[in-house]
């Protein structure tokens, strides 16, 4: 896979189950070495998308390339490049952590010495060494999830599909998974992430797509998506009531006399902020404080996927 070509490139992807259309001609491009998040309500088609990209399910139509390879014409080449961590942990709870990793390494046909070396490295990397020889059924959910991710890395994949990887985890365990994702991307790995946690996408993803009713209804950076919904504003503070009233007459917005602030509607763009400041400067007004407020991804999600 070339560093210049997209890790994932999809156009016209369609999938139906009987009369139910699950994916209705979606298109997306995932740059290599980034985190791309796919958001959507339950039943939107997120898991179906991952299964098709990971060659686990056949699409009804579309051009679908992963690592430059056509997933339909050359699924074997795709599988050589990818790792998949599903919604539910794939670890064997009757085995120890070490045995799970050794089993995965054996399935990958690694030489015996390489299996043991890699297993030791992954146990240390994922902070599982102390529990390595304990049966996994006694591990916490967060530890099991970290083991699941470690098993995904046995084949040194360059593209990893994470399907809601932190469902059911406590906040500390979620943050640990986030740190692992960031480390992987820093090493050049591409992460395709599906999640219903908006803060997760905001914290990790360079680009985000919102999937609803089988269609991509919005795509862009977190900041770009936040500008799609109303509610953003620039909050200006003033030293006197007279300055506040003058600014309100000039800019409009909602004045709050109790704390001498003015909320001016804004899309959050730099050009909008510059225009407001220029108009204040022309009027000889100097705000005592300024902050920019934009809707969060919760607002975006609820607005774009409203039923």
């Amino acid at each position: 896979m070339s560093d210049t070509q997209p890790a994932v490139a999809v156009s016209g992807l369609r999938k139906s189950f009987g009369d139910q259309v699950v994916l209705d001609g979606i298109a997306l491009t995932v740059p290599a070495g980034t985190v791309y998040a796919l958001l959507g309500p339950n039943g939107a088609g997120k898991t179906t998308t991952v299964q098709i990209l990971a060659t686990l399910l056949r699409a009804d139509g579309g051009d679908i390339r992963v690592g430059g390879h056509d997933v339909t014409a050359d699924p074997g080449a795709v599988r050589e490049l990818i790792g998949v961590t599903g919604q539910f942990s794939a670890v064997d709870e009757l085995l120890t952590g070490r045995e799970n990793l050794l089993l995965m390494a054996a399935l990958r046909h690694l030489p015996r010495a390489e299996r043991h070396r890699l297993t030791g490295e992954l146990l240390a990397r994922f902070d599982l060494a102390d529990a390595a020889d304990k049966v996994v059924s006694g591990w916490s959910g967060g530890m099991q999830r970290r083991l699941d991710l470690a098993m995904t890395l046995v084949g040194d994949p360059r593209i990893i599909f994470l399907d809601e990887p932190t469902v059911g985890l406590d906040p500390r365990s979620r943050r640990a998974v986030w740190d692992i994702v960031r480390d992987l991307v820093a090493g050049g790995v591409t992460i395709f992430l599906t999640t219903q946690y908006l803060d997760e996408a905001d914290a990790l993803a360079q680009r985000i797509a919102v999937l609803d009713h089988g269609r991509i209804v919005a795509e862009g950076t977190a900041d770009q998506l936040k500008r799609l919904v109303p509610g953003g504003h620039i909050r200006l503070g003033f030293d006197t009531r007279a300055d506040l009233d003058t600014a309100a007459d000039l800019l409009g917005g909602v004045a709050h006399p109790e704390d001498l602030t003015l909320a001016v509607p804004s899309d959050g763009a730099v050009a909008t902020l510059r225009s407001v400041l220029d108009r204040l400067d022309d009027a000889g007004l100097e705000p005592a404080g300024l902050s920019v407020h934009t809707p969060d991804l919760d607002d975006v999600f609820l607005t774009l996927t409203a039923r």
Side-chain angles (χ1 to χ4, degrees):
M1 182 180 71
S2 168
D3 291 337
T4 59
Q5 72 181 3
V8 177
V10 173
S11 62
L13 172 55
R14 301 188 308 277
K15 182 64 181 178
S16 298
F17 295 102
D19 295 332
Q20 181 184 7
V21 178
V22 179
L23 298 174
D24 191 10
I26 71 170
L28 52 87
T29 301
V30 181
T34 66
V35 178
Y36 189 98
L38 186 63
L39 308 181
N42 287 332
K46 300 187 301 298
T47 296
T48 299
T49 301
V50 168
Q51 289 176 335
I52 290 172
L53 295 177
T55 75
L56 300 174
L57 186 66
R58 192 178 183 91
D60 294 336
D63 184 37
I64 310 148
R65 297 182 180 275
V66 175
H69 303 285
D70 188 306
V71 300
T72 301
D74 199 0
V78 172
R79 291 168 190 153
E80 288 294 319
L81 292 173
I82 68 171
V84 183
T85 299
Q87 292 183 32
F88 305 103
S89 178
V91 304
D92 189 328
E93 295 189 359
L94 298 179
L95 301 178
T96 67
R98 189 184 307 279
E99 289 167 342
N100 268 281
L101 285 166
L102 288 171
L103 175 60
M104 183 59 67
L107 291 173
R108 287 282 188 172
H109 304 293
L110 297 181
R112 182 178 296 274
E114 177 68 7
R115 296 177 207 170
H116 287 274
R117 183 196 63 78
L118 181 59
T119 292
E121 287 183 0
L122 289 171
L123 288 168
R125 179 178 181 181
F126 285 79
D127 195 24
L128 297 170
D130 290 345
D133 297 308
K134 296 178 181 177
V135 175
V136 170
S137 59
W139 288 16
S140 68
M143 292 173 66
Q144 290 191 22
R145 203 48 163 166
R146 296 206 305 276
L147 177 61
D148 205 13
L149 284 169
M151 291 168 64
T152 300
L153 295 188
V154 167
D156 193 26
R158 305 315 298 160
I159 303 167
I160 297 178
F161 297 99
L162 300 181
D163 192 11
E164 301 195 22
T166 61
V167 167
L169 298 187
D170 61 77
R172 185 183 300 276
S173 296
R174 288 182 66 213
R175 297 281 177 171
V177 172
W178 291 6
D179 288 341
I180 291 168
V181 169
R182 292 187 181 105
D183 287 344
L184 290 170
V185 174
V189 175
T190 303
I191 303 290
F192 188 97
L193 168 74
T194 75
T195 181
Q196 293 190 57
Y197 294 126
L198 287 305
D199 60 332
E200 187 161 270
D202 208 353
L204 294 176
Q206 282 73 54
R207 294 193 72 79
I208 300 168
V210 182
L211 182 65
D212 190 38
H213 289 95
R215 293 178 177 268
I216 300 291
V217 294
E219 196 268 352
T221 66
D223 286 342
Q224 288 169 340
L225 293 182
K226 292 171 186 177
R227 293 175 192 152
L228 295 177
V229 300
H233 64 275
I234 300 169
R235 183 171 291 271
L236 302 163
F238 296 92
D239 290 325
T240 68
R241 175 64 185 269
D243 284 350
L244 172 63
D245 291 342
T246 302
D249 290 340
L250 179 68
L251 301 172
V254 179
H256 300 277
E258 65 278 5
D259 60 359
L260 298 178
T261 61
L262 176 68
V264 181
S266 167
D267 59 4
V270 172
T272 304
L273 177 59
R274 184 182 296 116
S275 174
V276 168
L277 293 176
D278 286 346
R279 294 175 68 187
L280 290 174
D281 189 56
D282 291 343
L285 288 173
E286 179 74 26
L290 179 150
S291 57
V292 178
H293 298 261
T294 57
D296 60 22
L297 280 183
D298 285 347
D299 300 316
V300 175
F301 186 85
L302 292 172
T303 301
L304 296 178
T305 63
R307 298 302 190 192

